[in-house]
Amino acid sequence: MSVTISILNQKGGSGKTTLATNISVGLARLGGRVLLVDTDPQGSARDWRSANENCQVPVIGLDRPSLANDLKDFSKQYDIVVIDGAPQLREMAAAAIKTSDAIVVPVQPSPYDIWATADLVELIKARQEITDGKLQAAFIVSRAIPNTKLSNEVIEALSHYSMPILKSMTFQRVVYAASASAGLSVYDAEDEKAKYEMQSIVEELMQWVN
Ligand SMILES: Nc1ncnc2c1ncn2[C@@H]1O[C@H](COP(=O)(O)OP(=O)(O)OP(=O)(O)O)[C@@H](O)[C@H]1O
Ligand SMILES: [Mg+2]
């Protein structure tokens, strides 16, 4: 049985693809058979894959609301399926939620980004109700500014949604875009802090879903 983890937020540019690609590589490095599913018609994860012919993670594009069905044949061959969510498309978010065991919602520490997650949290909670709490979901802070304290306002604003916040997070670092442009991850780059923060995220996720 594979575990499906979705990285979702209808807000564009929140860090979904960056997290999905890096988490997939991190999980694959731990030895799991990992499949990355690109549900965004923009195809960013597929572009990432195409930029590197030695990419360690297989990527497939499934960007129709029939996602759960379309995924069935593939997921059996993998231990972990990571879904990269699409911006804006509510129907795709609902389809991903339906086929997930765990959902991670990246949120940039800004009030606009926090407010914009309300609709998604509602969809997630509705699903949690009918699955008896089996669906896990948490926020992850994305692109925090290094050497600044995450303001209490951000934590306080997110806590209104009554959804846990992962302890690990990503910080704003140029290595994320730089490595992505070559179809790589932070694990292939020189930035030790970025590697460490990604590994913390991967380990926290593994503990969380097991
Ligand atoms: N931690 C980070 N530090 C610096 N840049 C980042 C970080 N995370 C993401 N980015 C950059 O921010 C931009 C948006 O990130 P990304 O594409 O991952 O977001 P997304 O949620 O997938 O966007 P979309 O909604 O369009 O699919 C990209 O240029 C990416 O390189
Ligand atoms: Mg994306």
Side-chain angles (χ1 to χ4, degrees):
M1 273 278 282
S2 65
V3 172
T4 302
I5 304 172
S6 287
I7 319 294
L8 302 181
N9 192 337
Q10 282 145 269
K11 177 100 170 116
S14 53
K16 297 179 287 295
T17 305
T18 301
L19 277 165
T21 51
N22 280 282
I23 287 171
S24 296
V25 173
L27 290 169
R29 282 165 50 94
L30 292 178
R33 292 170 303 164
V34 181
L35 175 68
L36 175 55
V37 178
D38 187 353
T39 67
D40 182 357
Q42 288 180 116
S44 307
R46 282 166 274 181
D47 289 341
W48 171 79
R49 167 71 188 83
S50 303
N52 173 10
E53 60 184 23
N54 299 315
C55 184
Q56 302 153 42
V57 177
V59 180
I60 58 166
L62 295 174
D63 48 26
R64 301 205 190 138
S66 53
L67 178 67
N69 227 3
D70 300 344
L71 197 51
K72 256 185 210 147
D73 292 338
F74 295 102
S75 55
K76 288 184 204 117
Q77 304 158 45
Y78 294 93
D79 303 311
I80 304 178
V81 176
V82 177
I83 294 180
D84 179 18
Q88 263 113 42
L89 307 174
R90 194 173 197 267
E91 221 184 351
M92 275 318 298
I97 290 169
K98 216 169 146 190
T99 192
S100 295
D101 300 294
I103 295 169
V104 179
V105 180
V107 197
Q108 297 187 62
S110 112
Y112 305 114
D113 289 68
I114 293 165
W115 295 327
T117 60
D119 182 54
L120 176 62
V121 173
E122 220 170 85
L123 279 178
I124 292 170
K125 292 212 165 150
R127 181 72 188 168
Q128 282 178 321
E129 261 173 40
I130 60 169
T131 54
D132 254 350
K134 279 194 194 104
L135 171 65
Q136 304 198 64
F139 291 112
I140 182 167
V141 175
S142 168
R143 309 181 73 169
I145 309 295
N147 307 318
T148 55
K149 266 196 172 172
L150 253 200
S151 75
N152 286 337
E153 289 128 63
V154 172
I155 305 285
E156 149 84 12
L158 282 176
S159 69
H160 284 300
Y161 289 118
S162 313
M163 203 164 90
I165 309 168
L166 295 185
K167 283 196 219 57
S168 45
M169 62 184 79
T170 70
F171 286 84
Q172 176 70 31
R173 300 184 196 282
V174 283
V175 68
Y176 283 104
S179 56
S181 60
L184 298 170
S185 72
V186 292
Y187 291 101
D188 310 295
E190 298 293 303
D191 188 326
E192 293 305 319
K193 286 184 180 164
K195 256 182 247 186
Y196 181 80
E197 79 193 12
M198 193 48 60
Q199 191 58 20
S200 304
I201 293 169
V202 167
E203 283 170 15
E204 189 173 1
L205 281 179
M206 287 312 288
Q207 279 175 8
W208 187 50
V209 296
N210 281 329

